[in-house]
Amino acid sequence: MDVLIPISLFLAIFGIAYVFLSTRNKERLALIEKGADAGIFMKSKKGYGVGKIIILNLSLLLIGIGLGVFLGLVLSAYTTLDEHAIYSAAVFTMAGLGLFIGFRMTKKIDQE
């Protein structure tokens, strides 16, 4: 019974990846059939790829989570507040701040 959880997790991940890739392929083939260039998915106006923007946002998210854990550790050591609440609040606050900074940086890149 315990083996069903990893198997179902693997099947769900595989199914999502398969649907994503097959849909993307069909969409690009439809664009090519209509005579449009499928290269619009690859790069934005200034040549920044979608992958680089995703990596930027993901890295800022992970930095925010790390800073949140550190801030939670500092606050739990020097205050008498509930330790679990401090960690959760600090991690979510700093992760949200990291995502907001990533959004602002992406918006700035798109405006250039």
Side-chain angles (χ1 to χ4, degrees), residues 65 67-94:
I65 290 172
L67 287 174
V69 170
F70 177 72
L71 182 65
L73 176 68
V74 169
L75 287 175
S76 69
Y78 293 111
T79 62
T80 58
L81 298 172
D82 183 27
E83 184 176 327
H84 299 292
I86 290 286
Y87 276 111
S88 299
V91 166
F92 284 124
T93 302
M94 295 305 287

Side-chain angles (χ1 to χ4, degrees), residues 2-3 8 11 13 18 25-26 33 38 40 43 48-50 58-59 64 68 73 75-76 83 87 92 94 100 106 112:
D2 291 336
V3 76
S8 62
L11 288 175
I13 292 171
Y18 176 76
N25 187 31
K26 289 177 186 177
E33 285 177 1
I40 60 172
K43 293 186 178 182
Y48 294 104
V50 175
L58 183 63
S59 64
L73 176 68
L75 287 175
S76 69
E83 184 176 327
Y87 276 111
F92 284 124
M94 295 305 287
F100 180 71
T106 303
E112 289 178 353

Side-chain angles (χ1 to χ4, degrees), residues 4-48:
L4 291 177
I5 294 172
I7 291 173
S8 62
L9 179 67
F10 173 75
L11 288 175
I13 292 171
F14 176 76
I16 290 169
Y18 176 76
V19 168
F20 173 75
L21 293 175
S22 65
T23 304
R24 185 177 72 168
N25 187 31
K26 289 177 186 177
E27 186 177 16
R28 290 180 182 181
L29 285 175
L31 280 174
I32 291 171
E33 285 177 1
K34 291 183 178 180
D37 184 23
I40 60 172
F41 293 109
M42 297 299 176
K43 293 186 178 182
S44 63
K45 298 173 194 169
K46 289 296 236 178
Y48 294 104

